[in-house]
Amino acid sequence: MSFHARLPARSLLAVSLIAAMGSVSAREMPAQQAASGPADTQPGNTTTSKELDSISVIGRGETRQVQRITAKDMKTLPPGASPLKVLEKLPGVHFESADSYGNYEWSTRISLRGFNQTHLGFTLDDVPLGDMSYGNNNGLHISRALISENLGGAELASGIGALGTASTGNLGGTVQFHSSDPAPEYGVTVAQTIGSDSTYRTYGRLDTGDHHGFAMYLSAESASADKWKGDGKQKQFQFNGKAIYNFGDSKVGALFTTSKRNETDYQDLSWDMLKRLGWNWDNYAPDWQAAVDTAKTQCGAAYVYTCDDAYYAGRGLRNDSVASVFGDFALAEGVRLKATAYHHENRGQGHWFTPYQASFPGTPQETPISIRTTEYGINRSGLTANIEWTLGNNLLQAGVWGEDSKHTVQRNFYFISGPVDDSYFLHNPNIRKFYQRYNTRTRMFYLQDSITLLDGRMHVDVGVKSPHTTTTSTSVLGSYANGSLKAGKGVLPQLGFGYRFDDHNELFASYAQNIAAFQAGISGPLATTQVAFDTFGGKLKPEESSTLEAGYRHGDDLFEGSLALYTVKFKNRLLSIAQCTSGIQGCPSAYANVGTVNSRGAEATFILKPMQGLRWYSTLSYNKSTYADDYTDGATLVPVKGKTTVDSPRLLFSTELAWAMNDWDARLAGNYTGKRYYTYLNDNSVPGYWMFNASAGYDFGKTGFLQDFRVALNVTNLANRHYFGTIGSNGFAASDASGYFATMQAGAPRQAMLTATAKF
């Protein structure tokens, strides 16, 4: 029975129309605290974008480690940059990308406390975004879900996410994004950006203003830029529309977003390639003959490893549409019902001009290159809902999340006789390798009681959740397995404690357990042969984590700061390895549980406000994540016990100086990322590096018929240094002592963007 079928028709209609702008309710505070500091927010829910401007950046009042950003924090980055990129200044966050915007999804990576992207949870206005990985099977990237100017803010929980977060993989934390609300006054905003590498971006937004409780905005973006090296463009078109109707103490609304993204790939590099070819090496396009010559002489029967130095080109195409309806209803004194109903459709293709499959083989038209595609589809619908009841000193919450998702993935080859424009979706392949369908059914229920004691000085959160996910794979074509995997727990506890000494100082501590669902798609355990799955699939256990964290916060008019300590145990780690067992022909690869990862660390945040208009923000993070168990790959022992986990820098430091006076504002930001390993045996790595970004803007105010006019300059990689941004673009290897594994992406050089913004 489907999730929707469990609800009566009238209840389903009501819940579908009453989705909340966010699902966080503020704790009641003593008058003294309310007057002296920001409002606290309640774990287990989200926050409206309007509230984000008034709540604590360092999460004062929370029993978990929580940090927040607002739309103002985006000013350091050029317009159109991914909201993920601004998160890198927060403690515990490691973000990388090969482009200055953080939007090139093949290279984009974010991790928290050593947990990579597939082990984190992301939402936008309570709509789950999945793990936002490349070739996503359960969501979409935030850079496609929302235009950056329409970001209201974000809440980062770098270890323990809010209990009701709609995610099946948040072992290591959550990021909850919030779109901005419609403006109360009528207005039109137009922004034009030009910059390095032929950057040209136009943004527009129309706000209707408030009309008897109803307000709406329509917004669009069109962006195009050349790659900073090699040939090709990165293009994106987006549309966002949001409407809200307020009546009494309740509201309903809707959000609709679309995105069409077309990105040309950068070539992955190895240390060997860097030494031979340099930082600016890329694919061959538009030199078709060079690609053909390489395919003929280096990729045939007499293969040499330089065959993979470059290909003609590669591309990623993604089209998405997301729609949600939401509301927040006051049912009675102290009782609120909030919910979000949503639907998401995605279509994607990844293109690779491959030298490993000839076009028209054995014919006079034979060409040593064809286009290999990986083709994706997502069709998912879901509902989140929670009810809150304030009863004396207790805030009781109960919530549900249900989603039914269909994901398809196929691998095809298209024959070509020469260089072609592949910036569109291809049809009618010449060879079909496989076609797989995945159906994923997710159901989650949670309960939480937040208790206020000692005249508001003490807060205790006690909660449990019960997630259950079933993923079923059906092979339409090819040799991948048919089968099902289930991941679920009856009770996963989450406990929190907070004690406020006075208006400025508080302690917090929290503990939580989580499990992750098995992934659908070609990066999941069902993407193996039927024999291998039948033999090993039943032995798999869901990945699990248990997190304990504690800390101290201080906040006053001059200084805000926090210090958090944590320890995490990540169990049942899944890895695709060779499974050499008697009775199995050959040595098939299949996923297996290969042990535990232990993580310990500390995070410090320092915010100094010495005078009006001047703020110095800094964070320092230390993380030690190590493998606790060796594993066997086929017949080979891989002795990783005690080794540092891949792509997990031990040290992260960020600092930002922001200044605003009269009509001027300026920001200078610096980030240090420590050494990172890309092999499990730690026999190869990339060094640490510094990165600086800067911005400056001037607001002319009312100018002629314009209500406001502003000009801003953004400069990224101010020092113009060479560095490896992304590692693991092609995965990680047990060993690469020789430096031949091409799984790294060079970061973008210095780039500048000038933006003029006019409001009518």
Side-chain angles (χ1 to χ4, degrees):
M1 180 181 293
S2 72
F3 180 81
H4 299 87
R6 298 176 186 270
L7 296 173
R10 289 182 61 187
S11 298
L12 178 60
L13 177 61
V15 171
S16 297
L17 291 174
I18 56 175
M21 279 296 295
S23 43
V24 176
S25 65
R27 284 196 179 100
E28 294 184 5
M29 298 182 299
Q32 184 180 11
Q33 183 182 358
S36 63
D40 299 332
T41 58
Q42 180 63 37
N45 298 300
T46 54
T47 308
T48 69
S49 56
K50 287 182 178 179
E51 289 171 338
L52 281 166
D53 289 330
S54 62
I55 61 181
S56 170
V57 172
I58 60 171
R60 292 173 62 190
E62 296 280 1
T63 60
R64 302 169 291 121
Q65 167 75 323
V66 173
Q67 302 271 336
R68 299 183 176 94
I69 62 168
T70 69
K72 295 178 181 178
D73 294 298
M74 294 291 292
K75 287 185 177 181
T76 308
L77 301 173
S82 169
L84 284 179
K85 193 166 177 61
V86 77
L87 292 177
E88 67 182 343
K89 74 177 185 179
L90 301 181
V93 178
H94 170 223
F95 176 81
E96 298 289 355
S97 181
D99 68 318
S100 59
Y101 292 91
N103 290 332
Y104 173 45
E105 292 186 31
W106 176 254
S107 69
T108 297
R109 301 288 188 278
I110 186 171
S111 63
L112 304 177
R113 296 180 177 177
F115 280 97
N116 66 33
Q117 202 162 315
T118 60
H119 296 124
L120 307 178
F122 304 90
T123 64
L124 170 63
D125 293 350
D126 293 336
V127 176
L129 301 177
D131 61 24
M132 299 201 309
S133 58
Y134 189 84
N136 195 298
N137 68 85
N138 62 355
L140 73 162
H141 212 276
I142 183 60
S143 61
R144 285 185 272 137
L146 189 70
I147 300 172
S148 61
E149 284 91 341
N150 297 333
L151 178 72
E155 176 182 292
L156 167 78
S158 53
I160 299 175
L163 191 64
T165 304
S167 169
T168 58
N170 57 320
L171 299 181
T174 62
V175 183
Q176 297 180 334
F177 297 101
H178 309 279
S179 64
S180 62
D181 288 343
E185 302 293 335
Y186 170 83
V188 176
T189 301
V190 177
Q192 182 64 55
T193 300
I194 58 173
S196 302
D197 299 304
S198 302
T199 293
Y200 192 86
R201 179 180 183 270
T202 303
Y203 164 80
R205 171 166 160 165
L206 167 66
D207 279 276
T208 64
D210 182 80
H211 296 276
H212 306 290
F214 176 83
M216 179 178 69
Y217 67 76
L218 303 175
S219 177
E221 172 222 38
S222 178
S224 174
D226 291 341
K227 292 170 57 180
W228 63 265
K229 66 174 180 177
D231 180 73
K233 287 185 175 293
Q234 316 290 39
K235 296 180 179 181
Q236 182 157 311
F237 175 81
Q238 289 181 274
F239 170 83
N240 294 171
K242 185 174 183 179
I244 294 177
Y245 176 60
N246 291 278
F247 54 101
D249 196 23
S250 303
K251 59 186 173 186
V252 294
L255 174 70
F256 179 68
T257 77
T258 65
S259 170
K260 292 185 177 181
R261 180 157 180 83
N262 178 347
E263 60 184 30
T264 309
D265 288 332
Y266 294 92
Q267 173 64 4
D268 301 302
L269 301 177
S270 66
W271 277 115
D272 171 72
M273 292 169 63
L274 180 66
K275 294 173 184 176
R276 291 186 292 109
L277 305 168
W279 289 99
N280 289 326
W281 178 254
D282 201 50
N283 286 318
Y284 292 120
D287 191 343
W288 173 254
Q289 192 58 48
V292 170
D293 292 344
T294 298
K296 287 181 176 179
T297 61
Q298 301 178 52
C299 304
Y303 168 84
V304 292
Y305 76 95
T306 53
C307 167
D308 292 303
D309 280 353
Y311 315 106
Y312 179 70
R315 184 177 307 282
L317 300 170
R318 299 289 187 272
N319 289 354
D320 292 273
S321 296
V322 180
S324 68
V325 290
F326 52 85
D328 179 353
F329 277 76
L331 301 183
E333 182 70 26
V335 181
R336 303 199 70 89
L337 177 63
K338 306 178 181 182
T340 298
Y342 61 89
H343 179 74
H344 169 218
E345 293 189 3
N346 162 268
R347 185 185 178 199
Q349 279 191 359
H351 296 177
W352 171 31
F353 284 76
T354 176
Y356 294 107
Q357 171 62 57
S359 294
F360 311 108
T363 72
Q365 295 101 332
E366 180 171 343
T367 304
I369 297 171
S370 64
I371 299 179
R372 193 199 78 173
T373 65
T374 308
E375 305 183 19
Y376 311 93
I378 299 174
N379 188 309
R380 62 189 180 110
S381 298
L383 176 71
T384 66
N386 78 295
I387 189 167
E388 300 176 353
W389 183 19
T390 301
L391 185 63
N393 292 333
N394 298 269
L395 177 61
L396 304 172
Q397 299 177 74
V400 295
W401 170 42
E403 181 180 280
D404 291 322
S405 176
K406 297 179 181 179
H407 170 59
T408 61
V409 60
Q410 52 185 304
R411 175 71 50 77
N412 298 317
F413 291 86
Y414 295 81
F415 291 168
I416 55 177
S417 56
V420 297
D421 176 12
D422 69 322
S423 60
Y424 57 90
F425 285 86
L426 303 178
H427 302 278
N428 303 318
N430 297 91
I431 299 175
R432 289 186 179 273
K433 296 295 289 185
F434 66 79
Y435 180 13
Q436 202 79 359
R437 290 176 178 164
Y438 296 89
N439 290 323
T440 302
R441 181 178 183 271
T442 301
R443 304 292 183 263
M444 186 182 79
F445 174 74
Y446 73 93
L447 287 170
Q448 182 167 284
D449 185 9
S450 297
I451 309 166
T452 302
L453 303 169
L454 303 180
D455 295 325
R457 301 174 74 89
M458 181 184 293
H459 295 294
V460 179
D461 297 326
V462 181
V464 296
K465 70 177 179 179
S466 180
H468 296 272
T469 302
T470 301
T471 299
T472 301
S473 170
T474 303
S475 179
V476 180
L477 176 71
S479 59
Y480 278 171
N482 294 287
S484 294
L485 288 171
K486 296 182 179 181
K489 282 283 187 179
V491 175
L492 288 171
Q494 183 166 312
L495 309 172
F497 170 82
Y499 183 77
R500 182 171 54 85
F501 295 100
D502 51 38
D503 292 342
H504 306 296
N505 301 281
E506 64 182 36
L507 292 174
F508 68 93
S510 197
Y511 173 79
Q513 294 179 7
N514 270 302
I515 68 167
F518 294 104
Q519 279 193 302
I522 57 175
S523 298
L526 285 157
T528 187
T529 65
Q530 190 68 56
V531 173
F533 178 76
D534 290 343
T535 305
F536 306 110
K539 301 177 183 179
L540 295 179
K541 298 178 180 179
E543 295 176 319
E544 301 181 27
S545 71
S546 56
T547 302
L548 176 64
E549 62 183 18
Y552 164 79
R553 300 187 187 102
H554 172 85
D556 58 40
D557 292 339
L558 175 65
F559 167 73
E560 289 184 76
S562 69
L563 175 65
L565 306 175
Y566 62 86
T567 178
V568 184
K569 177 168 284 189
F570 169 29
K571 300 189 301 182
N572 303 328
R573 183 170 70 97
L574 285 169
L575 188 67
S576 180
I577 58 176
Q579 303 271 14
C580 291
T581 305
S582 59
I584 303 296
Q585 183 178 6
C587 190
S589 292
Y591 275 80
N593 296 112
V594 295
T596 297
V597 174
N598 294 318
S599 299
R600 294 176 177 85
E603 298 163 351
T605 304
F606 174 94
I607 306 173
L608 184 65
K609 298 166 285 185
M611 57 182 290
Q612 185 175 0
L614 183 64
R615 189 180 82 153
W616 179 29
Y617 176 97
S618 296
T619 66
L620 178 65
S621 306
Y622 174 81
N623 172 269
K624 183 180 180 181
S625 295
T626 56
Y627 300 111
D629 304 282
D630 298 333
Y631 68 91
T632 301
D633 189 355
T636 303
L637 176 68
V638 186
V640 299
K641 184 177 181 179
K643 302 295 185 183
T644 299
T645 57
V646 293
D647 200 17
S648 298
R650 289 214 173 173
L651 191 64
L652 294 167
F653 175 73
S654 70
T655 186
E656 180 182 271
L657 190 64
W659 171 79
M661 183 170 290
N662 298 327
D663 298 317
W664 288 94
D665 67 76
R667 294 181 182 231
L668 177 64
N671 293 79
Y672 175 76
T673 301
K675 176 182 178 180
R676 294 166 287 153
Y677 294 101
Y678 67 88
T679 62
Y680 298 121
L681 291 175
N682 292 176
D683 60 4
N684 221 326
S685 62
V686 296
Y689 70 94
W690 279 94
M691 176 61 55
F692 293 95
N693 300 317
S695 69
Y698 182 77
D699 195 329
F700 292 88
K702 185 175 178 59
T703 305
F705 64 91
L706 300 178
Q707 293 299 313
D708 188 52
F709 183 69
R710 172 181 167 81
V711 175
L713 176 68
N714 294 85
V715 182
T716 58
N717 193 0
L718 199 62
N720 199 32
R721 68 161 301 158
H722 291 302
Y723 68 100
F724 276 125
T726 305
I727 63 173
S729 53
N730 277 313
F732 301 99
S735 175
D736 185 41
S738 59
Y740 290 125
F741 186 29
T743 193
M744 301 180 287
Q745 292 256 325
R750 180 169 55 229
Q751 294 183 312
M753 293 81 176
L754 182 67
T755 302
T757 303
K759 294 184 178 180
F760 301 88

